[in-house]
């Protein structure tokens, strides 16, 4: 099997409610391995860079405010087909549309406070991982 990586963030709405362990349990039960993890407070600049692709969207200001409001947990996850696997485990962006058993169905509050981020392509996963982790911090 070809092991690949994705980038995950446990968002402020989840860390605030003490859900880091509960979310990690869902991640690990799905067969994704947490190979790097750090709890940080995102700066305004980090959040704006990270979500730069959404800078023209109406919700951008709200998104950046939300992502910098409380600590987050940044993670690298490893699995066979890690990117699509984690997207499936996360569930739909809007928790109203998320499938049973997904992280967002279980824990998300609304479309903005949806508990987790996961990369949407292998290319973006590599860019996002490099924004937060040095290669020597990732221990597979
Ligand atoms: P995803 O996080 O599922 O990849 P996305 O990349 O389209 O979703 O959007 C990034 C984040 O922006 C999303 O997790 C929450 C926020 N967001 C997206 N659509 C939104 C909306 N209609 N209203 C408020 N926040 C939204
Ligand atoms: Mg996205």
């Amino acid at each position: 099997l070809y092991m690949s990586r994705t980038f995950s963030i446990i968002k402020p709405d989840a860390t605030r409610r003490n859900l880091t362990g509960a979310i990690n349990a869902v991640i690990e039960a799905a067969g994704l391995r947490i190979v790097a993890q750090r709890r940080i407070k995102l700066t305004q600049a980090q959040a704006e860079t990270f979500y730069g692709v959404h800078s023209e969207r109406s919700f951008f200001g709200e998104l950046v405010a939300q992502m910098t409001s409380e600590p987050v947990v940044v993670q690298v996850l490893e699995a066979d087909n890690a990117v699509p696997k984690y997207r499936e485990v996360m569930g739909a962006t809007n928790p109203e549309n998320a499938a049973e058993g997904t992280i967002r169905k279980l824990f998300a509050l609304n479309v903005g406070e949806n508990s987790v981020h996961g990369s949407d392509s292998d290319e973006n996963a590599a860019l996002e991982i490099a924004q937060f982790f040095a290669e020597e911090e990732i221990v597979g």
Side-chain angles (χ1 to χ4, degrees), residues 5 9 11-12 17 35 58 64 79 83 90 98 113 116 118-119 127:
R5 290 173 177 171
I9 302 179
K11 295 185 179 184
R17 289 177 290 150
V35 294
S58 60
V64 170
V83 166
M90 286 163 57
E113 297 175 298
V116 282
S119 308
L127 291 169

Side-chain angles (χ1 to χ4, degrees), residues 11 51 53-54 57-60 62-63 66-67 87 90-94 104 110-120:
K11 295 185 179 184
Y51 276 124
V53 67
H54 295 303
R57 307 282 288 273
S58 60
F59 55 80
F60 183 67
E62 184 188 338
L63 176 60
Q66 199 256 117
M67 291 299 291
R87 294 294 309 192
M90 286 163 57
T93 305
N94 187 338
R104 284 166 166 171
N110 54 61
V111 68
E113 297 175 298
N114 59 3
S115 300
V116 282
H117 164 84
S119 308
D120 60 11

Side-chain angles (χ1 to χ4, degrees), residues 2 5 10 13 37 41 51 57 85 95 98 103 120 122 125 127-128 133 136 138:
Y2 174 71
R5 290 173 177 171
I10 301 178
D13 72 272
Q37 176 169 259
K41 188 116 187 295
Y51 276 124
R57 307 282 288 273
K85 175 172 278 193
I103 292 170
D120 60 11
D122 285 350
L127 291 169
E128 291 171 2
F133 291 100
E136 59 265 28
I138 305 168

Side-chain angles (χ1 to χ4, degrees), residues 29-57:
L32 289 144
R33 185 170 292 272
I34 301 163
V35 294
Q37 176 169 259
R38 186 164 68 246
R39 180 173 164 107
I40 58 172
K41 188 116 187 295
L42 289 181
T43 65
Q44 178 93 3
Q46 278 178 311
E48 286 176 354
T49 298
F50 184 76
Y51 276 124
V53 67
H54 295 303
S55 62
E56 302 306 314
R57 307 282 288 273

Side-chain angles (χ1 to χ4, degrees), residues 8-11 15 20 24 37-40 71-75:
S8 165
I9 302 179
I10 301 178
K11 295 185 179 184
T15 63
T20 299
N24 279 347
Q37 176 169 259
R38 186 164 68 246
R39 180 173 164 107
I40 58 172
V72 299
V73 176
V74 291
Q75 308 176 304

